[in-house]
Amino acid sequence: MAQGHKYLDVRSRAEFVLGHVPGSLHVPLLLPEHEGGGVDPSFVDAVLRLAEKDRAMIVGCESGQRSKVALALLVSAGFEKLHELGPGFGGTRDAFGRRIPGWAQCGLPVELGSADASVD
């Protein structure tokens, strides 16, 4: 991010408000449960309203599952300068069950509340 990458958070609004990467863009990948859940069909269009296809971005979620789906959708739409924060914001586990820390556990800055650049 020090090199100009934007962080794209694809978690739900509820997760985002509880803590996120400062200055991140927020576009939830999934529809809320009351709207049927599943991948939001307008996800790519929502990202395009906030960032151009040539914008360097780091895509992250809570533990790395949604970010993989988001990354695939964005690459299919022509985004080229994407990176994934594999362990996500909250961390994940490896194949042996060992904890892999995420953004928050690494002592990196965390911001609370909603973001200025948010689509939800």
Side-chain angles (χ1 to χ4, degrees):
M1 290 177 46
Q3 298 170 354
H5 290 63
K6 270 309 240 187
Y7 187 90
L8 173 63
D9 192 318
V10 300
R11 297 177 302 154
S12 71
R13 177 171 177 68
E15 291 171 301
F16 186 83
V17 169
L18 292 175
H20 55 270
V21 174
S24 58
L25 304 175
H26 179 231
V27 181
L29 173 69
L30 303 178
L31 290 168
E33 288 298 320
H34 66 273
E35 293 179 27
V39 174
D40 184 341
S42 66
F43 171 74
V44 171
D45 290 334
V47 174
L48 280 168
R49 285 195 297 275
L50 297 175
E52 301 79 28
K53 289 183 179 182
D54 63 348
R55 176 69 192 233
M57 290 190 292
I58 299 167
V59 181
C61 63
E62 185 65 20
S63 64
Q65 301 306 308
R66 287 172 282 182
S67 60
K68 286 178 184 17
V69 174
L71 203 66
L73 290 171
L74 294 171
V75 167
S76 293
F79 285 82
E80 297 177 1
K81 298 177 181 176
L82 302 176
H83 304 277
E84 182 189 13
L85 180 62
F89 186 80
T92 191
R93 296 195 179 272
D94 68 14
F96 299 102
R98 294 177 296 219
R99 189 92 170 115
I100 301 171
W103 180 277
Q105 292 82 30
C106 289
L108 297 168
V110 174
E111 185 173 79
L112 303 175
S114 60
D116 295 331
S118 183
V119 174
D120 45 24

